[in-house]
Amino acid sequence: MTVALMWEARAVDGRGAELLEWARARTGELAAEPLRYELLRAPQDRVLVITWWEVAYGAELPELPELPEPAAELITRAVHRWRFEVAGGSAGGT
């Protein structure tokens, strides 16, 4: 089964680039390598990281490494985390 982990944080105003680089570095330091990952950014200095893993949906650490919380002075609120089971995909292009 493939599981997607989503990690989303909002940086303090003006520190979105710093949070993005922090997330990029932490993704590279995970205890295991995901099948793939994506780093995304959005207005209001938000950063989203999605990692894909070949594990059971209920897998726990250390089998399923997750990004930690950034330093409190870098973010405006606690990190939001979601876990999804991959149910299909698209071939791309429209």
Side-chain angles (χ1 to χ4, degrees):
M1 167 183 301
T2 302
V3 172
L5 296 182
M6 295 178 65
W7 177 102
E8 188 264 338
R10 184 172 176 194
V12 171
D13 285 343
R15 296 184 71 183
E18 185 179 348
L19 179 60
L20 180 63
E21 287 310 310
W22 181 94
R24 186 184 318 278
R26 298 299 84 70
T27 301
E29 297 170 353
L30 289 171
E33 187 173 338
L35 295 172
R36 70 181 254 225
Y37 70 90
E38 290 188 39
L39 292 149
L40 301 101
R41 61 182 171 188
Q44 300 178 326
D45 291 317
R46 291 179 292 142
V47 173
L48 174 66
V49 180
I50 307 171
T51 56
W52 284 265
W53 305 89
E54 198 63 41
V55 296
Y57 183 82
E60 297 296 330
L61 296 171
E63 185 179 0
L64 190 56
E66 296 194 54
L67 273 68
E69 288 276 324
E73 62 270 6
L74 183 58
I75 55 177
T76 61
R77 57 167 168 72
V79 168
H80 292 178
R81 301 169 194 272
W82 301 274
R83 184 180 293 206
F84 294 90
E85 174 184 340
V86 174
S90 66
T94 53

